[in-house]
Amino acid sequence: MQPVECVTCGNQVLCEKFSMAHTSVQWTAEAAVVCTEFRGRVAEGGNTARIRTCLALRESIDRAVEEGTLEVADA
């Protein structure tokens, strides 16, 4: 797994791309505290276990793939 930093909040996750459609993400910090999107959803009564993704992090992962800092396993 490779570290990827969210360009919006600076949260760092460990990430692995098995294909363009399959991404594994392991959070390394408390998402509800660090991630602005997660924090907002939790403040509205949401549970982090039910939040599928953060759009800003998704964009950061896609950017890392485009820049070549995160490799896709089958590429």
Side-chain angles (χ1 to χ4, degrees):
M1 298 193 99
Q2 298 175 280
V4 174
E5 184 175 302
C6 178
V7 297
T8 299
C9 71
N11 186 37
Q12 182 172 296
V13 298
L14 296 176
C15 188
E16 190 166 4
K17 291 287 288 178
F18 297 101
S19 70
M20 290 307 289
H22 184 184
T23 305
S24 178
V25 175
Q26 180 180 15
W27 291 83
T28 56
E30 180 61 46
V33 175
V34 178
C35 173
T36 54
E37 186 170 337
F38 274 42
R39 187 171 53 236
R41 291 184 187 179
V42 169
E44 295 171 352
N47 180 328
T48 58
R50 297 192 176 267
I51 301 172
R52 291 184 52 84
T53 190
C54 165
L55 296 178
L57 178 61
R58 172 85 263 154
E59 291 173 6
S60 298
I61 292 169
D62 291 344
R63 181 178 297 155
V65 170
E66 289 173 11
E67 293 173 350
T69 58
L70 178 62
E71 296 181 17
V72 180
D74 69 348

